[in-house]
Amino acid sequence: RTVIESQVTIVCGDTGCGKTHMVNFISSCLLGDEFRCFTLHAGVTVEQFVRKMVQYFELARDLATSGEKNNMLKPRQLWILVDEFNTSYLQPLLAELINQRTCSFDERIDSVPENVIFVGCFNPFMIPDGAEQHQAKDEEIGFAVKDSSAILSHKVFPVCDSLLSFLIDFGQLKPEDEEKYIEEMIKGWLEERT
C-alpha cells in the first residue's frame, strides 16, 4: 500500500530475504503492472544509469498511451526496482529522480512519467566475521560511517536524507530460516532437472 500511494519505497533487508521477489510478485502477479530491476552497483557509470532510465521512461510512456489496464482496472504502471543503490556514488541522482521527479543532470530526461513507481532496495551494513578486533567507536556505526571499507563487508554510502522517510526495514533472516530457504531453493532446482 505504501508503494502505490507514494510511488516510492526504500526496502532494507538482508541478502536473500526476498525483497526483489516480493516487489516482482506484487507488481506483476497481483497488480498486472510491468516490472524492471536495475542493479545500481559501484561499477555503473552516469551514462549507463541515464541510458537505462531513458529506456525505462520510454516504456512507461508507451504503457501510459497504450490504454491497457492492470488487474485493478487502472492504467498500467512501470515498477522500477533499483537494487543495491547504497553501493553507488550515483545515489543522489536517483534521489533527485525519486523526490523531484525531474532531472537536472542530463538533458535526455526532462521528467519522470507519472506511471513510474520506484522501489529502492539495499542490504544493511554488515560487519564481517572477525571484525570484532576492530574497536569501533559509536560514531563509526550507522548511516554515516566515515570509512566503511575498514569494517563493513562491502563499500556502502550513507542513504540520502531525502530517501530515509520512504524506508521500510524488511528485516534479516534468522539462521534457521536462511538454512531452510537455501534447502528449498536447492530442492526446487533439483526437481526441475529430474
Side-chain angles (χ1 to χ4, degrees):
R1 182 175 162 192
T2 303
V3 177
I4 296 168
E5 290 175 1
S6 70
Q7 290 190 311
V8 60
T9 297
I10 308 298
V11 182
C12 173
D14 204 13
T15 301
C17 69
K19 301 178 299 286
T20 302
H21 178 74
M22 175 192 68
V23 174
N24 187 8
F25 180 78
I26 290 170
S27 62
S28 301
C29 297
L30 293 181
L31 297 177
D33 286 330
E34 284 290 318
F35 171 79
R36 295 294 184 273
C37 181
F38 179 64
T39 302
L40 188 60
H41 57 78
V44 174
T45 65
V46 173
E47 178 60 27
Q48 291 168 325
F49 175 71
V50 168
R51 274 199 317 253
K52 189 57 76 172
M53 291 302 114
V54 166
Q55 176 187 353
Y56 288 161
F57 296 166
E58 285 174 7
L59 173 59
R61 288 184 182 96
D62 290 345
L63 286 171
T65 59
S66 73
E68 294 178 34
K69 303 289 184 190
N70 66 13
N71 296 343
M72 304 286 290
L73 303 177
K74 295 183 177 183
R76 291 186 74 206
Q77 298 183 316
L78 174 62
W79 293 55
I80 302 173
L81 185 141
V82 183
D83 202 8
E84 298 183 16
F85 75 89
N86 69 327
T87 63
S88 173
Y89 68 95
L90 301 178
Q91 184 189 150
L93 305 183
L94 175 65
E96 180 181 336
L97 294 177
I98 288 173
N99 290 312
Q100 281 83 41
R101 298 190 76 81
T102 59
C103 177
S104 65
F105 53 87
D106 196 288
E107 62 188 24
R108 291 172 284 181
I109 302 173
D110 56 349
S111 64
V112 177
E114 289 185 27
N115 64 331
V116 168
I117 295 176
F118 284 104
V119 179
C121 288
F122 70 94
N123 301 329
F125 297 155
M126 300 294 288
I127 300 174
D129 292 341
E132 301 85 36
Q133 301 105 355
H134 178 83
Q135 298 298 318
K137 298 178 186 123
D138 289 342
E139 66 267 12
E140 291 178 323
I141 304 296
F143 285 114
V145 178
K146 291 178 185 170
D147 183 18
S148 61
S149 61
I151 60 170
L152 300 175
S153 61
H154 55 280
K155 180 78 173 169
V156 293
F157 294 91
V159 175
C160 293
D161 290 344
S162 63
L163 298 177
L164 289 177
S165 62
F166 301 115
L167 188 102
I168 296 174
D169 187 355
F170 201 72
Q172 186 173 4
L173 290 175
K174 296 177 188 165
E176 57 270 15
D177 291 336
E178 183 176 10
E179 187 174 317
K180 184 173 180 171
Y181 180 69
I182 292 168
E183 286 174 7
E184 289 298 318
M185 286 174 47
I186 293 171
K187 181 180 170 186
W189 183 80
L190 290 172
E191 287 174 359
E192 287 177 6
R193 277 140 184 82
T194 57

